[in-house]
Amino acid sequence: MKRFILVVATILLLFGCAENQPDGPLDNEAEVIAARTWLKLIDAGKYGKSWDQSSTLVRDAVTRDEWIMTMNSLMKQYGKHSQRSTDSIEWSSMLDGAPQGDYREVRFSSKCGDVEISETVTLQKSGDEWLVAGYFIR
């Protein structure tokens, strides 16, 4: 139940961002590339595809149709970011309500109009790739 609430809260904070190119030394890290690739799907309005490419933590918590409906609604409400830059990457072996594993939190400084926010994309290692397990905005 905790995991479901966390993912639903995460979904309620999602909104689209303008596509930005990598801009710093962290942007060559596999985790940042994976996070930015996934965010480009959100930025382009490809919400179904973003759900398809998320980890099972996301897909088990919310249906694809719910994800798309929520994202469409939020895009109308919030609009797009004008920029995004990578701040940091943090490693963890635990994520609330999730099994032990290999996780990374990639933090971005972002701007939406004149408002500055912090985005965190949580990634889970699955085989040889990083999949999105959470997305948070502060």
Side-chain angles (χ1 to χ4, degrees), residues 7-84:
V7 173
V8 170
T10 299
I11 292 164
L12 294 175
L13 294 174
L14 279 169
F15 57 92
C17 303
E19 186 173 319
N20 291 310
Q21 297 299 315
D23 59 2
L26 294 174
D27 289 312
N28 292 321
E29 300 294 326
E31 299 93 325
V32 176
I33 292 168
R36 282 186 176 274
T37 299
W38 185 85
L39 286 167
K40 285 179 183 180
L41 295 173
I42 298 297
D43 296 345
K46 297 179 180 177
Y47 311 129
K49 196 166 191 167
S50 71
W51 184 89
D52 294 340
Q53 294 183 11
S54 295
S55 77
T56 57
L57 293 176
V58 172
R59 294 191 323 262
D60 288 347
V62 63
T63 69
R64 190 175 197 271
D65 288 342
E66 290 169 333
W67 179 267
I68 292 169
M69 185 174 55
T70 300
M71 292 307 300
N72 277 320
S73 174
L74 290 172
M75 280 301 292
K76 288 177 186 170
Q77 182 180 355
Y78 291 107
K80 296 183 178 187
H81 288 38
S82 56
Q83 64 188 107
R84 177 186 291 128

Side-chain angles (χ1 to χ4, degrees), residues 5 21 24 50 52 68 72 92 98 109 114 119 121 132 134:
I5 292 169
Q21 297 299 315
S50 71
D52 294 340
I68 292 169
N72 277 320
S92 178
S109 291
D114 293 330
E119 294 176 287
V121 178
V132 172

